[in-house]
Amino acid sequence: VQLQASGGGLVQTGGSLSLSCAASGFSWDYYTICWFRQAPGKEREGVSCIRRSDRKIYYAGSVKGRFTISRDNAKNTVYLHMNSLEPEDTAVYYCAAGAVSPITSSWASPGTYDIWGQGTLVTVSS
């Protein structure tokens, strides 16, 4: 059971970056897949989730309109396309999965998910 996140890097304010999360070892279709991030000295926070079954999408208010999550079932991969990046977006980004159907009050809680990738660093310079 593995999630492999990639695509992080250094980008200037206003730039774009796309992250990928490749999954293996579990029944992909039965899992909700999410992106979280953790900045230095801060708690891990939910960025976006795409729910299993109905593919409902959640976004944190701070990224809505700038980030887009998508899912390619043929490749067992979830993407996070990030536009108009700001220094406040600097963090280690993690993908996570859980055999759950989260709702508005639970999708952004790290404890909802039990499979985590290793993280990829995104640095936005001002």
Side-chain angles (χ1 to χ4, degrees):
V1 176
Q2 188 175 10
L3 292 173
Q4 183 73 35
S6 61
L10 175 64
V11 63
Q12 291 186 332
T13 297
S16 300
L17 209 57
S18 290
L19 306 181
S20 299
C21 175
S24 61
F26 60 96
S27 300
W28 172 258
D29 284 349
Y30 296 103
Y31 281 74
T32 290
I33 311 294
C34 301
W35 286 97
F36 284 77
R37 67 185 181 186
Q38 189 165 18
K42 294 189 176 181
E43 293 186 353
R44 192 166 298 190
E45 63 172 350
V47 176
S48 182
C49 275
I50 185 164
R51 194 165 67 184
R52 64 177 181 175
S53 67
D54 63 0
R55 302 294 187 254
K56 180 176 176 60
I57 289 174
Y58 297 99
Y59 290 107
S62 59
V63 307
K64 202 167 187 178
R66 300 187 298 123
F67 291 11
T68 302
I69 191 171
S70 64
R71 181 170 180 151
D72 186 338
N73 286 335
K75 296 182 178 180
N76 282 10
T77 300
V78 167
Y79 303 96
L80 185 69
H81 305 287
M82 306 183 293
N83 296 319
S84 302
L85 284 161
E86 304 165 353
E88 293 73 22
D89 296 315
T90 295
V92 177
Y93 283 71
Y94 299 90
C95 54
V100 294
S101 296
I103 57 176
T104 302
S105 61
S106 65
W107 75 267
S109 173
T112 302
Y113 311 97
D114 55 0
I115 303 173
W116 289 83
Q118 85 289 2
T120 184
L121 177 62
V122 173
T123 303
V124 184
S125 63
S126 56

